[in-house]
Amino acid sequence: MLAPWALAKLEPVKDHPRVLVRDPLHLLPEHDSTIPTFGKANGFTVITTASNLAFRWLYEKALADTEVKKVLVVDRAPAGRRAGQTHANAPPPFYPDLLDQTAPEARIELDLRELLHHHTNDPLWPAETNEPRYARLLARHLDGALRAHANLRTAHPGRFSDHDFKTIVACAALGIADSAFKKLDAECLWRIGLLGHEALAELESLAPEITRPILDELRKAPAPFCWLGQHDGETVLRAFYLAVILAQHAPGWRLLLPTVEPALAPFTAIDETILTASAPDLIRLSPDQANRDLAAAEQSLSKDALQFLLLDQLKIGEPAGFTAALEKEAHSTLVRALALLLALDNALSAQPARQHHERLGKVLFGQDAPGRAPFVEQRPSAVWSSLEEAYRLACDLLPLRDELALWARTLKVKKTDQLTFASFWDQWNGKRLNRLEYYLSALDRLVGSAELLPRSEDELPSAFGNALDRARQRVQAIAAEVLRQLDEVNARFQELVVARYASWLATDGEVRLTSQFLRRCVKPHWDAQTEKAVVFIFDGMRYDVWDEMLRPMLLERMDVEADLAASSILPSETEVSRWALSAGTEPASFWPRKAENLHLQDALRRDFGYSGTVEAVAPPGAGTGETVRYRAGNLEVFIFEFCDKELHKIHVKVLPDGREVPSRPLAFIYQQHLKNIIDNEVMAVVRALAPGTKVFVTADHGFGRVHRQRVGLEASWLNDPQDCSYLNAWLRSTLAEVKAPAKVRESVWEMPVSALRMPATEDVYNRDACTTWRKQYASIVFPRVGYALSRPGSHFKPDAYTHGGISMQELMVPMVVLRVKARDQGVLHVEAIEGPAELVEGEEVSFRVRLLRAGGGASLPEELRVDLEAVVAAEAGAGAGDASAAPRELPRQVLYVGAAGEAATFRYRLLPEDASVEERRAGGVRRTVTITASYRDGRKTYRKSRAHGFSVQLNAEQVVRRVGNLGNVLGLTPKSLRGG
């Protein structure tokens, strides 16, 4: 209402060189973007100020800038300060020179009385409308004031007394505008007593003649309303909401309340039905107010009270206690956060209460949760979001840890000839053991750095701080145990690969190698003459990334037609395996390498009879994360640089306790880098695919940890020191021929180049000598588990992760065939995000997304549980290592979507620390909010995402500058004001 009215006043003077807007009542909030956006669109430099010193400095600087042609000044000095009623604050802006250059029609006063006159066509609004004490309430409740005024005109068409005015103010502020000038009913008492109590206290000093009869009505009402006429409103509300919380868990809550807080002893006579039946209806009347009141009630609970209530009475330190508390709690984020912390502690213990965790999994994450989300799900809590994710990870790890331990024991008694790639594939990918490293990394990051206590530790009973310490220590112990067991499994996997790799190359057996991708995956599933097809090649994508992050996004739009067991060829290097994908054959057949598209062109001609060319196509926009794309007839190939380059930036650091850990955890790479690329760049391509399009997904290799035990190689064994990397080395002679020490032979696997179908010779051009010389290769060696190769003459300092060796993490890659569904398929429809495209720093905005049921699923209830995540991030990869550029997660939400659909709203405000130094200098930032909806259909989890881009004008000393010739944001601040 305010913004269109203000713009209507500004529009006629948009061509004036000087415009003055006075807003003494602060009708437009401080961070409102209405005037800055108008100024930017119409070439104004906008100066917002409330003091003379700041105004003079900014105004003079703006005038000194020759690029500034138009100035719009917003004077927010209160009327009292301009009238000289106070001397405690800085003097208001003084601008006779500005007035001299400003036409009378360009001097705009934002007058509340005028606004209300304009909207009601009633000239009788009194002068008191613009008094700050009334204006403050009216401006916050304008819609209510208009509805209350409409009631006045219905009841008394020609009357507008002082009493009428105060009644309008009171009813609007109390949230009962529709009942103004009518008899108060029961719902009005609810609204006034428990939702409007703050406004009621404020109104008592403004209009006691209005509040007196209201208080009289309250005194006649049942508890807790009657107490509001006799006691402090905050105390009454605290008693009410503590009673609501206690009544969920303890039938004898009336005895507990005085023990928890003795001052509340007089407030136990609340009818049980008010707590159980009426309280949810009350909360729905004003969720924001209820959230504030519940937070105040929770804050009133002392450390001793929490000890008595949660640990001594509810026994949440025991499995039955924390399970019951989480099953029953529908209002308090404090109670359920502390209960879940103890549940997390138990889940990570040596003997977790598995049956209780199964119950909690159904309550927190399952479809058989209540039909409607409890109010506590609507209360934003970053602590709860982190705890819930940590607990989910801990519970997911429980069966995986058991399965890994059993697998490691089983492999110990098997002979090499009993090992098969299919069995390793089934265990690693079919039973989801590939996720162990990622889940542990994410859990370690959460318990180590996320805020998991809803209060500071010294304000809580010691049991909670101790539980968090135990969880941190246990995660480290579990990680060490899991990594040891994975090494045992990978040692047997290496035996299998060395023994069987030559046969995999020679026959079309159980394993599809990347060199066979075109012939054994694409060709059987694609009619090149009639079908459109897309190939996605992800450089450096492990199978867990595909399984955990990419597959769920694609399955909402595609059906799987084939999911094949596949492996990278050896060595699992980009220049070997990725080129083999395009060439459709082993390196010995296409070495020396030429341009990738030419290899693909040869393969398509050989295997598909394609006679055209393979054209390299530039991706639109920045092409973030995308290496290259090719087009050949009905086939498009998209190659994404996924993890390869990021891996080589992750070093190993030594912690004070002696542990060696990656400088950036695996979870950080997955969640910040990869998820951003998938949500934006990859899904942008996917959304554009036509129904029926065949989609082939694969990777050239994965990556794994690099062990620290050094295996030194002699320079004479190599053609060139560069032929040795940490996980493989190309030898000019075999280890036997060079008489390598037994320690070296026992620490590596050696395979002849002929068995690997790698080139035996290679001509290399020496630029320094301007000559060509020939390298000869006899074998390639790979370190056994626990070791890494040391290049002659180089410092041994491996990265935390790399590829090129032999491990399940490096070799097992997805090779999947999908088909794009028809547009109308899918159980859940996620509409486009509604929200502003531009805002100013400090302004809080809302992003809204609507969810609709689009059809029935295999086993879906009438109301579908949907978990919603929202992340605000800069462009993928921007400001790597800069904390200000890191994505910011907004509090998660849970909705139950029925036939009518549901909507979720996420609030966001750019914090000062969210903008980098470079963005500050530029004067603005670009951000993208991505909302992901997850739901289960049967045993499968599906995810749908929507993204919405927006810009934020940064506060450069309260100056917002028109966009000039320097670009989109560089002109926001006059050049004389820019730093650096």
Side-chain angles (χ1 to χ4, degrees), residues 445-462:
R445 191 175 183 215
L446 278 169
V447 300
S449 58
E451 188 62 59
L452 298 183
L453 294 175
R455 291 186 186 175
S456 62
E457 190 171 342
D458 59 356
E459 295 178 350
L460 291 169
S462 59

Side-chain angles (χ1 to χ4, degrees), residues 289-545:
Q289 182 63 53
N291 179 49
R292 290 193 293 270
D293 291 335
L294 274 164
E298 291 167 331
Q299 190 60 37
S300 72
L301 293 171
S302 66
K303 178 194 294 190
D304 291 341
L306 292 172
Q307 172 73 39
F308 169 76
L309 174 62
L310 300 182
L311 298 171
D312 299 341
Q313 296 296 315
L314 301 186
K315 308 289 186 184
I316 69 168
E318 301 172 7
F322 62 63
T323 302
L326 287 164
E327 287 175 334
K328 296 174 182 178
E329 186 54 62
H331 300 96
S332 173
T333 57
L334 176 66
V335 171
R336 76 170 188 160
L338 293 175
L340 190 58
L341 174 60
L342 298 186
L344 172 65
D345 177 36
N346 181 272
L348 294 171
S349 68
Q351 293 182 319
R354 295 175 184 270
Q355 290 183 341
H356 288 282
H357 294 300
E358 288 177 6
R359 280 172 57 186
L360 285 182
K362 294 176 181 178
V363 171
L364 297 176
F365 315 121
Q367 289 295 344
D368 54 350
R372 298 293 301 176
F375 178 63
V376 72
E377 295 283 5
Q378 302 175 40
R379 297 185 63 195
S381 170
V383 169
W384 172 259
S385 295
S386 297
L387 272 171
E388 188 180 35
E389 182 61 19
Y391 181 72
R392 184 198 298 266
L393 288 167
C395 290
D396 285 345
L397 282 166
L398 270 175
L400 298 181
R401 289 162 48 200
D402 293 343
E403 195 68 46
L404 176 63
L406 176 62
W407 188 23
R409 290 196 300 270
T410 303
L411 285 175
K412 286 181 180 179
V413 300
K414 284 184 178 275
K415 297 179 180 179
T416 302
D417 60 4
Q418 294 177 306
L419 303 177
T420 65
F421 186 87
S423 65
F424 276 91
W425 180 274
D426 178 63
Q427 291 283 341
W428 187 243
N429 297 322
K431 295 187 177 178
R432 304 171 68 245
L433 296 184
N434 57 48
R435 290 147 163 87
L436 273 164
E437 288 177 283
Y438 168 50
Y439 285 178
L440 279 168
S441 175
L443 182 56
D444 184 54
R445 191 175 183 215
L446 278 169
V447 300
S449 58
E451 188 62 59
L452 298 183
L453 294 175
R455 291 186 186 175
S456 62
E457 190 171 342
D458 59 356
E459 295 178 350
L460 291 169
S462 59
F464 299 106
N466 294 339
L468 183 55
D469 289 339
R470 284 194 301 271
R472 289 168 176 161
Q473 295 168 11
R474 185 61 183 150
V475 168
Q476 294 173 14
I478 291 171
E481 180 185 16
V482 165
L483 294 180
R484 178 186 61 78
Q485 292 170 340
L486 285 178
D487 284 346
E488 294 176 3
V489 171
N490 261 323
R492 302 308 312 275
F493 181 71
Q494 287 187 339
E495 291 180 35
L496 167 70
V497 173
V498 173
R500 302 284 182 83
Y501 186 74
S503 66
W504 295 346
L505 288 170
T507 61
D508 290 352
E510 61 176 346
V511 185
R512 287 168 172 79
L513 299 171
T514 46
S515 58
Q516 303 164 352
F517 169 67
L518 290 174
R519 180 172 58 83
R520 298 187 63 193
C521 178
V522 177
K523 189 173 183 179
H525 295 91
W526 176 48
D527 184 339
Q529 304 302 317
T530 62
E531 286 185 308
K532 293 284 186 182
V534 168
V535 171
F536 287 108
I537 299 175
F538 294 94
D539 195 343
M541 181 175 72
R542 293 196 343 176
Y543 200 94
D544 60 333
V545 178

Side-chain angles (χ1 to χ4, degrees), residues 137-138 140-141 144-145 167-177 191 195-200 202-203:
L137 289 171
L138 286 169
R140 291 206 305 259
H141 307 282
T167 300
I168 290 173
V169 173
C171 290
L174 292 172
I176 56 170
R191 289 184 177 275
L195 302 179
H197 59 92
E198 293 176 347
L200 186 62
E202 188 174 2
L203 284 165

Side-chain angles (χ1 to χ4, degrees), residues 522-653:
V522 177
K523 189 173 183 179
H525 295 91
W526 176 48
D527 184 339
Q529 304 302 317
T530 62
E531 286 185 308
K532 293 284 186 182
V534 168
V535 171
F536 287 108
I537 299 175
F538 294 94
D539 195 343
M541 181 175 72
R542 293 196 343 176
Y543 200 94
D544 60 333
V545 178
W546 154 252
D547 230 3
E548 182 75 11
M549 305 182 77
L550 183 55
R551 183 203 292 263
M553 301 293 287
L554 299 186
L555 288 188
E556 188 65 31
R557 296 175 177 272
M558 303 177 191
D559 292 315
V560 176
E561 296 197 347
D563 193 344
L564 310 172
S567 171
S568 169
I569 64 169
L570 293 177
S572 53
E573 302 279 11
T574 298
E575 61 271 19
V576 175
S577 192
R578 199 179 102 190
W579 258 250
L581 277 167
S582 295
T585 186
E586 290 76 34
S589 301
F590 64 76
W591 214 269
R593 294 182 303 135
K594 55 186 177 182
E596 189 175 25
N597 62 313
L598 298 181
H599 282 307
L600 179 60
Q601 186 171 292
D602 292 342
L604 293 177
R605 182 176 295 113
R606 179 187 67 241
D607 293 334
F608 295 87
Y610 176 70
S611 59
T613 61
V614 175
E615 174 189 7
V617 180
T624 302
E626 188 173 341
T627 302
V628 68
R629 62 174 67 176
Y630 301 121
R631 183 176 296 137
N634 284 332
L635 179 69
E636 284 190 282
V637 179
F638 297 84
I639 301 177
F640 284 89
E641 201 300 301
F642 228 47
C643 281
D644 210 0
K645 292 181 181 177
E646 287 296 315
L647 292 177
H648 304 300
K649 302 175 184 177
I650 307 175
H651 306 297
V652 172
K653 63 181 180 181

